[in-house]
Amino acid sequence: MERCFVLSKVSSSNAMWGGRFAEGPSAIMREINASIPFDKALWRQDIAASCAHVTMLAACNIVSAEDAAAILAGLETISGEYEAHGVPENWDLEDIHMTTESRLAELIGVAAGRLHTARSRNDQVATDFRLWVRDAIDQTDAGLAALQRALVAQAGVHAASIMPGFTHLQVAQPVTLGHHLLAYYEMIRRDRSRFADARARLNVSPLGSAALAGTGFPIDRAMTASALGFDSPMRNSLDGVSDRDFAIDYLQAAAQCALHLSRLAEEFVIWASQPFGFVRMADSLSTGSSIMPQKKNPDAAELVRGHSGRIIGCLTSLMVTMKGLPLAYSKDMQDDKPPVFDAANLLGLSIAAMTGMVAGSSYRTDRMRQAAELGFATATDLADWLVRQADIPFREAHHITGAAVKLAESRGIALDELPLADLQAIDNRIDDRVFAALSVEASVAARASYGGTAPDQVRARVAEALGELEAEA
């Protein structure tokens, strides 16, 4: 009972560190050293890894079956407590690992001390964190798949809805809204592939690496790796406890994904502005003004745009933390988790916001089509017509078209409103067939190359995307 009391009523880190230190930590050391305020997020992974570890210890006859059964029962009880009431924060216990072990000792007595056999907090936290990041990747992937479905659904509805395509935010050529939205589907598709690659690389188990050199106990690392869903144990114990590449991989994928979400958010900010008026944002993702009653602000989109900077900062933070650390474990690595936790939360919110925005906005296709007729968006079609029908080299056709645009601009009319005589005065090889190529509908329909904006091409890409998403399901 005395030993149980000492473990369960730890009053300072001195009790955890054993007899090495004569004095307890100062208040400053206690505060800077404690990670329980943030690493309590690992409790599910910590209990799962502990269950796998003690099951292996029993199978290898390192601990008795009776002690293992008591430990497993105690861990199940703790899991229920954490689920119902949250993880208590006792800074004297430092972290989630000692918090759980202390509670286990209160429940089952001295047998709790056998749980840490052949294990260090170094490989314990490396395992827990790896499991947490794997779960975060799976949650991110599910959210991105939902965003893709929203994009594809709207692309199918708007496969033939004409809007201006931009370069330099100037009207360039007509495209369809479906084509525009599918561009983001492709970006998110690449994002998902990056997360999948990161998951594949992280899916090896550091458990059993112990402090840094492995352990002298006859453990079965393959058994614990399999129990936790890893492909195999890590092959080097030093690497096992010191590697945080998996967290950086996750943050790199998150940062790239956040860039794409930010670009899409910026589109909605622009489209929702009065000069554009391409979309009406859902009330549920908009806010008003404290002083201007007419305002409907795209705050969700702006926050997604802002979150991208914070997520990039999280990546930078962890990379700078890791850049100068010698093998194996250093306390700096305690700061590996906050940027990952922060980025995962921000990314999840951003994905959900953009999914709701894509699915819930009303698209003003009438305004989009009007805008597509501005800025001489079919000028390239005139040049292409000259190449196809008059066998004029493209560079010469480009020059002729430029002259036609200049004339139309001087008169304040569209290209297809220029009289045939005026066009022929610029170049007599132009005939009345040209007008069939100068409408925005004709322009869009002509872009029928693979991956182009022609409605039939957009519908084909929608069908492909739906097939991909259904195959995943």
Side-chain angles (χ1 to χ4, degrees), residues 81-95:
E81 292 174 350
Y82 289 173
E83 193 71 61
H85 307 295
V87 179
E89 289 189 23
N90 182 344
W91 286 23
D92 287 329
L93 294 172
E94 290 190 16
D95 56 31

PDB file of all heavy atoms in Angstrom, residues 81-95:
ATOM      1  N   GLU A  81     -13.274   6.878 -17.908  1.00  0.00           N
ATOM      2  CA  GLU A  81     -13.239   8.113 -17.121  1.00  0.00           C
ATOM      3  C   GLU A  81     -12.856   9.308 -17.983  1.00  0.00           C
ATOM      4  O   GLU A  81     -13.474  10.379 -17.897  1.00  0.00           O
ATOM      5  CB  GLU A  81     -12.237   7.968 -15.964  1.00  0.00           C
ATOM      6  CG  GLU A  81     -12.667   6.975 -14.894  1.00  0.00           C
ATOM      7  CD  GLU A  81     -11.592   6.745 -13.834  1.00  0.00           C
ATOM      8  OE1 GLU A  81     -10.440   7.217 -14.037  1.00  0.00           O
ATOM      9  OE2 GLU A  81     -11.901   6.105 -12.822  1.00  0.00           O
ATOM     10  N   TYR A  82     -11.838   9.133 -18.799  1.00  0.00           N
ATOM     11  CA  TYR A  82     -11.402  10.227 -19.663  1.00  0.00           C
ATOM     12  C   TYR A  82     -12.508  10.602 -20.651  1.00  0.00           C
ATOM     13  O   TYR A  82     -12.725  11.782 -20.948  1.00  0.00           O
ATOM     14  CB  TYR A  82     -10.143   9.840 -20.423  1.00  0.00           C
ATOM     15  CG  TYR A  82      -8.874   9.742 -19.594  1.00  0.00           C
ATOM     16  CD1 TYR A  82      -7.703   9.255 -20.162  1.00  0.00           C
ATOM     17  CD2 TYR A  82      -8.834  10.149 -18.261  1.00  0.00           C
ATOM     18  CE1 TYR A  82      -6.522   9.155 -19.429  1.00  0.00           C
ATOM     19  CE2 TYR A  82      -7.668  10.055 -17.519  1.00  0.00           C
ATOM     20  CZ  TYR A  82      -6.520   9.551 -18.109  1.00  0.00           C
ATOM     21  OH  TYR A  82      -5.361   9.469 -17.374  1.00  0.00           O
ATOM     22  N   GLU A  83     -13.162   9.599 -21.178  1.00  0.00           N
ATOM     23  CA  GLU A  83     -14.237   9.850 -22.149  1.00  0.00           C
ATOM     24  C   GLU A  83     -15.362  10.641 -21.503  1.00  0.00           C
ATOM     25  O   GLU A  83     -15.927  11.564 -22.112  1.00  0.00           O
ATOM     26  CB  GLU A  83     -14.776   8.520 -22.685  1.00  0.00           C
ATOM     27  CG  GLU A  83     -15.673   8.653 -23.905  1.00  0.00           C
ATOM     28  CD  GLU A  83     -14.926   9.050 -25.164  1.00  0.00           C
ATOM     29  OE1 GLU A  83     -14.041   8.304 -25.607  1.00  0.00           O
ATOM     30  OE2 GLU A  83     -15.232  10.143 -25.698  1.00  0.00           O
ATOM     31  N   ALA A  84     -15.682  10.298 -20.278  1.00  0.00           N
ATOM     32  CA  ALA A  84     -16.811  10.940 -19.600  1.00  0.00           C
ATOM     33  C   ALA A  84     -16.472  12.289 -18.998  1.00  0.00           C
ATOM     34  O   ALA A  84     -17.292  13.228 -19.038  1.00  0.00           O
ATOM     35  CB  ALA A  84     -17.345   9.999 -18.511  1.00  0.00           C
ATOM     36  N   HIS A  85     -15.275  12.420 -18.454  1.00  0.00           N
ATOM     37  CA  HIS A  85     -14.963  13.602 -17.662  1.00  0.00           C
ATOM     38  C   HIS A  85     -13.741  14.388 -18.158  1.00  0.00           C
ATOM     39  O   HIS A  85     -13.415  15.432 -17.581  1.00  0.00           O
ATOM     40  CB  HIS A  85     -14.724  13.198 -16.197  1.00  0.00           C
ATOM     41  CG  HIS A  85     -15.833  12.386 -15.614  1.00  0.00           C
ATOM     42  ND1 HIS A  85     -17.111  12.874 -15.433  1.00  0.00           N
ATOM     43  CD2 HIS A  85     -15.865  11.093 -15.187  1.00  0.00           C
ATOM     44  CE1 HIS A  85     -17.886  11.934 -14.905  1.00  0.00           C
ATOM     45  NE2 HIS A  85     -17.154  10.846 -14.749  1.00  0.00           N
ATOM     46  N   GLY A  86     -13.073  13.905 -19.171  1.00  0.00           N
ATOM     47  CA  GLY A  86     -11.859  14.560 -19.627  1.00  0.00           C
ATOM     48  C   GLY A  86     -10.654  14.116 -18.825  1.00  0.00           C
ATOM     49  O   GLY A  86     -10.759  13.397 -17.831  1.00  0.00           O
ATOM     50  N   VAL A  87      -9.487  14.541 -19.261  1.00  0.00           N
ATOM     51  CA  VAL A  87      -8.223  14.172 -18.617  1.00  0.00           C
ATOM     52  C   VAL A  87      -7.891  15.216 -17.556  1.00  0.00           C
ATOM     53  O   VAL A  87      -7.839  16.415 -17.859  1.00  0.00           O
ATOM     54  CB  VAL A  87      -7.086  14.083 -19.644  1.00  0.00           C
ATOM     55  CG1 VAL A  87      -5.769  13.714 -18.959  1.00  0.00           C
ATOM     56  CG2 VAL A  87      -7.420  13.084 -20.745  1.00  0.00           C
ATOM     57  N   PRO A  88      -7.649  14.795 -16.320  1.00  0.00           N
ATOM     58  CA  PRO A  88      -7.283  15.771 -15.287  1.00  0.00           C
ATOM     59  C   PRO A  88      -5.894  16.344 -15.553  1.00  0.00           C
ATOM     60  O   PRO A  88      -5.027  15.670 -16.098  1.00  0.00           O
ATOM     61  CB  PRO A  88      -7.313  14.949 -13.997  1.00  0.00           C
ATOM     62  CG  PRO A  88      -7.059  13.545 -14.434  1.00  0.00           C
ATOM     63  CD  PRO A  88      -7.691  13.412 -15.786  1.00  0.00           C
ATOM     64  N   GLU A  89      -5.698  17.588 -15.161  1.00  0.00           N
ATOM     65  CA  GLU A  89      -4.409  18.243 -15.368  1.00  0.00           C
ATOM     66  C   GLU A  89      -3.700  18.421 -14.032  1.00  0.00           C
ATOM     67  O   GLU A  89      -3.969  19.365 -13.305  1.00  0.00           O
ATOM     68  CB  GLU A  89      -4.584  19.598 -16.051  1.00  0.00           C
ATOM     69  CG  GLU A  89      -5.000  19.510 -17.501  1.00  0.00           C
ATOM     70  CD  GLU A  89      -4.948  20.872 -18.193  1.00  0.00           C
ATOM     71  OE1 GLU A  89      -4.207  21.759 -17.712  1.00  0.00           O
ATOM     72  OE2 GLU A  89      -5.648  21.039 -19.201  1.00  0.00           O
ATOM     73  N   ASN A  90      -2.809  17.513 -13.730  1.00  0.00           N
ATOM     74  CA  ASN A  90      -1.929  17.645 -12.579  1.00  0.00           C
ATOM     75  C   ASN A  90      -0.519  17.885 -13.111  1.00  0.00           C
ATOM     76  O   ASN A  90       0.130  16.972 -13.618  1.00  0.00           O
ATOM     77  CB  ASN A  90      -1.970  16.374 -11.719  1.00  0.00           C
ATOM     78  CG  ASN A  90      -1.098  16.481 -10.482  1.00  0.00           C
ATOM     79  OD1 ASN A  90      -0.239  17.360 -10.374  1.00  0.00           O
ATOM     80  ND2 ASN A  90      -1.296  15.576  -9.541  1.00  0.00           N
ATOM     81  N   TRP A  91      -0.059  19.136 -13.002  1.00  0.00           N
ATOM     82  CA  TRP A  91       1.215  19.484 -13.626  1.00  0.00           C
ATOM     83  C   TRP A  91       2.385  18.764 -12.969  1.00  0.00           C
ATOM     84  O   TRP A  91       3.444  18.619 -13.586  1.00  0.00           O
ATOM     85  CB  TRP A  91       1.427  20.992 -13.587  1.00  0.00           C
ATOM     86  CG  TRP A  91       0.555  21.718 -14.566  1.00  0.00           C
ATOM     87  CD1 TRP A  91      -0.622  21.288 -15.115  1.00  0.00           C
ATOM     88  CD2 TRP A  91       0.798  23.009 -15.121  1.00  0.00           C
ATOM     89  NE1 TRP A  91      -1.132  22.221 -15.973  1.00  0.00           N
ATOM     90  CE2 TRP A  91      -0.277  23.300 -16.002  1.00  0.00           C
ATOM     91  CE3 TRP A  91       1.803  23.947 -14.965  1.00  0.00           C
ATOM     92  CZ2 TRP A  91      -0.363  24.480 -16.713  1.00  0.00           C
ATOM     93  CZ3 TRP A  91       1.718  25.143 -15.675  1.00  0.00           C
ATOM     94  CH2 TRP A  91       0.648  25.401 -16.540  1.00  0.00           C
ATOM     95  N   ASP A  92       2.210  18.317 -11.742  1.00  0.00           N
ATOM     96  CA  ASP A  92       3.284  17.556 -11.108  1.00  0.00           C
ATOM     97  C   ASP A  92       3.513  16.224 -11.807  1.00  0.00           C
ATOM     98  O   ASP A  92       4.599  15.652 -11.738  1.00  0.00           O
ATOM     99  CB  ASP A  92       2.955  17.300  -9.635  1.00  0.00           C
ATOM    100  CG  ASP A  92       3.085  18.564  -8.795  1.00  0.00           C
ATOM    101  OD1 ASP A  92       3.938  19.412  -9.140  1.00  0.00           O
ATOM    102  OD2 ASP A  92       2.334  18.710  -7.821  1.00  0.00           O
ATOM    103  N   LEU A  93       2.491  15.732 -12.505  1.00  0.00           N
ATOM    104  CA  LEU A  93       2.631  14.477 -13.248  1.00  0.00           C
ATOM    105  C   LEU A  93       3.131  14.705 -14.678  1.00  0.00           C
ATOM    106  O   LEU A  93       3.282  13.745 -15.430  1.00  0.00           O
ATOM    107  CB  LEU A  93       1.291  13.737 -13.274  1.00  0.00           C
ATOM    108  CG  LEU A  93       0.810  13.248 -11.897  1.00  0.00           C
ATOM    109  CD1 LEU A  93      -0.609  12.713 -11.992  1.00  0.00           C
ATOM    110  CD2 LEU A  93       1.753  12.188 -11.341  1.00  0.00           C
ATOM    111  N   GLU A  94       3.332  15.937 -15.038  1.00  0.00           N
ATOM    112  CA  GLU A  94       3.962  16.352 -16.296  1.00  0.00           C
ATOM    113  C   GLU A  94       3.127  16.102 -17.539  1.00  0.00           C
ATOM    114  O   GLU A  94       2.824  17.015 -18.284  1.00  0.00           O
ATOM    115  CB  GLU A  94       5.335  15.679 -16.483  1.00  0.00           C
ATOM    116  CG  GLU A  94       6.401  16.163 -15.544  1.00  0.00           C
ATOM    117  CD  GLU A  94       7.764  15.633 -15.941  1.00  0.00           C
ATOM    118  OE1 GLU A  94       7.943  15.158 -17.074  1.00  0.00           O
ATOM    119  OE2 GLU A  94       8.673  15.702 -15.098  1.00  0.00           O
ATOM    120  N   ASP A  95       2.797  14.830 -17.812  1.00  0.00           N
ATOM    121  CA  ASP A  95       2.260  14.526 -19.132  1.00  0.00           C
ATOM    122  C   ASP A  95       1.163  13.476 -19.060  1.00  0.00           C
ATOM    123  O   ASP A  95       0.839  12.946 -17.992  1.00  0.00           O
ATOM    124  CB  ASP A  95       3.380  14.085 -20.080  1.00  0.00           C
ATOM    125  CG  ASP A  95       4.176  12.893 -19.548  1.00  0.00           C
ATOM    126  OD1 ASP A  95       3.600  12.059 -18.821  1.00  0.00           O
ATOM    127  OD2 ASP A  95       5.383  12.798 -19.859  1.00  0.00           O
TER     128      ASP A  95
END
